[in-house]
């Protein structure tokens, strides 16, 4: 592949390669939409407890010489997503580059595990990355393959943004705000439906498979359905995704984590959101109406899907309704699954990451 744009970034960065590194300067690489910002916020908050640090956000899609200069002079550089120009950026040896990665645990294959053509650029980027932080030693092999990175650079210190779930939150207040925003009676329970995107366009029209009228007829006395579409789904489906029957579209709700806290049940399919929801030990049902197609044509998984996911798998709307009505959930399976994805469940992930970096004498 010809990565001209990424090489240009590398050339611009090289203009500042002799800039002196400031020990208290920290840069976060992010896009203008501030997607996947959660880990970065928690790392920033933890550094703020430790001293007089200076923070800089380097926006991937906003090129400026000053931004490159600040990035080149940073002691710590954090990423939360792929940024291929790193492959062509020669950081000062005093700079520590850390990939936090936005998704929890390991579920769907990604990166070099599913896209063999990307392995070259991933390897070059990983060569310029000092550490990759993951949530468990059990998933080190998967991330090594996905990022084409040496295992000795992978640190199972935890997912910084998971610390959110160990803070004191007024969930009742969150719910009241949600109900008021969408005009719902406060006696309702919330079923959050969070499907992922598919490469095959027709399967992204979720209401072709979820008969919402039938769903509401069976469950609306107790529940309201809240739909949260994956941010990338608009790239994979060109038509309108909607239903005339009642539901709440909370795709633009500002805090996904708040939604997880207030939801009583999660319906998903192949989305890694289920790993985070499983931490809360609440019911999850996997609505996989396109299972055979997804298994053969999409990215695949790091483990056997049917025997491992922490909840019942259903393939049609009737079975979905029956599973929820009959409360067919096994909390022990949820707990066992969480243990494979997280070494520690203590709200101290951000602290472990920052402690490790401040004590690192590389």
């Amino acid at each position: 592949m010809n990565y001209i744009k990424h090489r240009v970034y590398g050339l611009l960065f090289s203009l500042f390669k002799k800039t002196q590194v400031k020990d208290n300067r920290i840069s976060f690489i992010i896009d203008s939409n501030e997607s996947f910002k959660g880990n970065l916020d928690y790392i920033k908050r933890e550094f703020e407890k430790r001293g007089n640090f200076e923070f800089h956000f380097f926006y991937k899609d906003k090129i400026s010489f000053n931004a490159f200069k600040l990035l080149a002079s940073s002691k710590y550089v954090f990423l939360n997503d792929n940024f291929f120009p790193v492959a062509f950026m020669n950081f000062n040896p005093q700079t520590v580059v850390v990939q936090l990665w936005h998704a929890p645990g390991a579920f769907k294959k990604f990166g070099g595990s599913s896209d063999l053509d990307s392995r070259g650029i991933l390897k070059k980027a990983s060569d310029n990355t000092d550490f990759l932080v993951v949530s468990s030693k059990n998933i080190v092999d998967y991330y090594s393959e996905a990022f084409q990175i040496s295992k000795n650079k992978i640190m199972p210190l935890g997912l910084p943004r998971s610390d959110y779930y160990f803070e004191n939150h007024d969930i009742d207040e969150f719910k009241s705000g949600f109900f008021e925003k969408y005009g719902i009676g406060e006696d309702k329970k919330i079923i959050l439906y969070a499907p992922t995107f598919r490469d095959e366009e027709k399967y992204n029209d979720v209401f072709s498979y979820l008969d919402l009228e039938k769903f509401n007829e069976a469950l609306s006395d107790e529940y309201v359905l809240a739909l949260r579409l994956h941010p990338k789904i608009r790239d994979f489906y060109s038509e309108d995704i909607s239903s005339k029957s009642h539901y709440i579209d909370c795709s633009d709700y500002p805090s996904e984590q708040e939604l997880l806290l207030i939801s009583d049940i999660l319906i998903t399919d192949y989305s890694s959101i289920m790993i985070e929801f499983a931490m809360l030990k609440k019911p999850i049902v996997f609505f996989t109406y396109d299972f055979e197609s997804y298994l053969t044509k999409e990215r695949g998984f790091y483990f056997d899907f049917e025997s491992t996911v922490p909840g019942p798998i259903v393939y049609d709307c009737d079975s979905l309704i029956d599973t929820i009505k009959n409360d067919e959930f096994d909390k022990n399976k949820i707990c066992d699954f969480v243990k494979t994805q997280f070494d520690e469940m203590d709200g101290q992930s951000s602290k472990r990451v920052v402690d490790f970096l401040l004590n690192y004498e590389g």
Side-chain angles (χ1 to χ4, degrees):
M1 291 186 180
N2 188 6
Y3 296 98
I4 296 176
K5 178 181 176 182
H6 306 323
R7 293 175 187 274
V8 169
Y9 269 77
L11 286 172
L12 291 173
F13 183 78
S14 68
L15 298 175
F16 304 97
K17 64 182 180 182
K18 294 184 179 180
T19 305
Q20 183 177 354
V21 170
K22 291 187 65 175
D23 286 343
N24 71 330
R25 180 170 289 164
I26 298 172
S27 282
F28 301 103
I29 297 178
I30 195 168
D31 60 45
S32 294
N33 294 325
E34 299 197 343
S35 308
F36 311 126
K37 191 167 176 274
N39 283 331
L40 306 182
D41 285 339
Y42 273 86
I43 292 298
K44 179 176 180 289
R45 184 186 304 181
E46 188 63 33
F47 269 107
E48 286 172 340
K49 299 175 185 177
R50 308 304 185 92
N52 184 28
F53 287 94
E54 171 192 323
F55 303 100
H56 160 59
F57 285 88
F58 179 92
Y59 290 97
K60 302 176 183 180
D61 43 354
K62 293 182 180 179
I63 297 178
S64 78
F65 288 120
N66 187 54
F68 278 110
K69 183 177 180 180
L70 289 169
L71 185 65
S73 60
S74 295
K75 173 64 176 179
Y76 301 103
V77 173
F78 291 94
L79 302 100
N80 205 25
D81 199 8
N82 278 326
F83 184 52
F84 288 151
V86 168
F88 306 100
M89 291 178 169
N90 294 316
F91 287 92
N92 188 302
Q94 296 176 48
T95 297
V96 182
V97 181
V98 184
Q99 171 64 260
L100 296 171
W101 196 240
H102 59 274
F107 182 33
K108 280 188 299 187
K109 290 185 177 181
F110 68 101
S113 298
S114 59
D115 180 6
L116 301 185
D117 292 338
S118 71
R119 287 188 169 186
I121 188 76
L122 285 165
K123 175 70 166 58
K124 286 177 68 68
S126 292
D127 287 345
N128 289 339
T129 301
D130 293 287
F131 299 111
L132 166 62
V133 176
V134 300
S135 60
S136 171
K137 60 182 178 298
N138 297 322
I139 61 176
V140 166
D141 287 350
Y142 304 140
Y143 274 72
S144 177
E145 179 182 70
F147 283 90
Q148 295 294 290
I149 192 170
S150 171
K151 292 178 187 177
N152 62 16
K153 290 185 174 185
I154 303 178
M155 300 293 129
L157 300 170
L159 182 72
R161 69 189 182 95
S162 70
D163 294 347
Y164 173 87
Y165 300 110
F166 299 88
E167 298 170 351
N168 291 321
H169 298 290
D170 189 335
I171 298 176
D172 289 336
E173 184 177 332
F174 286 166
K175 280 190 174 181
S176 293
F178 182 86
F179 291 144
E180 183 178 352
K181 177 179 175 68
Y182 295 106
I184 311 164
E186 294 200 13
D187 60 327
K188 299 292 187 184
K189 295 178 182 177
I190 301 169
I191 297 176
L192 179 63
Y193 181 25
T196 193
F197 67 91
R198 278 83 161 162
D199 291 332
E200 195 164 349
E201 185 173 14
K202 66 179 181 179
Y203 291 123
N204 288 307
D205 186 7
V206 294
F207 289 123
S208 291
Y209 305 94
L210 174 59
D211 185 334
L212 193 51
E213 190 171 332
K214 183 185 290 187
F215 187 92
N216 284 336
E217 183 179 345
L219 298 168
S220 63
D221 286 347
E222 185 176 1
Y223 297 101
V224 63
L225 183 77
L227 173 70
R228 187 170 180 84
L229 296 173
H230 191 284
K232 290 185 178 180
I233 205 163
R234 302 299 179 192
D235 299 331
F236 292 85
Y237 191 73
S238 55
E239 303 298 324
D240 177 49
I241 298 175
S242 63
S243 173
K244 293 179 181 178
S245 295
H246 179 67
Y247 72 101
I248 298 163
D249 187 350
C250 58
S251 301
D252 296 325
Y253 197 80
S255 173
E256 181 177 88
Q257 290 182 300
E258 186 176 308
L259 279 177
L260 298 189
L261 276 183
I262 67 175
S263 296
D264 298 280
I265 296 174
L266 173 68
I267 301 172
T268 188
D269 37 43
Y270 320 106
S271 171
S272 60
I273 194 174
M274 68 90 172
I275 298 175
E276 212 159 324
F277 197 76
M279 292 176 63
L280 305 176
K281 299 180 175 63
K282 293 192 287 189
I284 308 169
V285 56
F286 294 83
F287 183 35
T288 57
Y289 50 80
D290 59 339
F291 183 71
E292 291 302 326
S293 171
Y294 196 92
L295 202 61
T296 56
K297 297 179 182 178
E298 303 271 347
R299 290 188 271 165
F301 307 98
Y302 287 114
F303 48 73
D304 182 73
F305 182 92
E306 292 176 291
S307 64
T308 309
V309 293
I313 302 169
V314 298
Y315 306 100
D316 58 67
C317 186
D318 289 337
S319 300
L320 176 64
I321 293 168
D322 289 342
T323 297
I324 295 171
K325 287 184 72 173
N326 298 327
D327 194 26
E328 297 174 2
F329 303 102
D330 182 352
K331 287 195 174 182
N332 289 327
K333 189 167 187 178
I334 296 173
C335 293
D336 290 343
F337 175 80
V338 169
K339 290 175 185 176
T340 70
Q341 302 292 314
F342 297 93
D343 289 345
E344 303 287 348
M345 296 277 288
D346 57 4
Q348 299 294 311
S349 295
S350 304
K351 181 179 184 300
R352 276 191 293 275
V353 173
V354 173
D355 281 346
F356 171 79
L357 293 173
L358 293 179
N359 291 318
Y360 174 64
E361 298 178 354

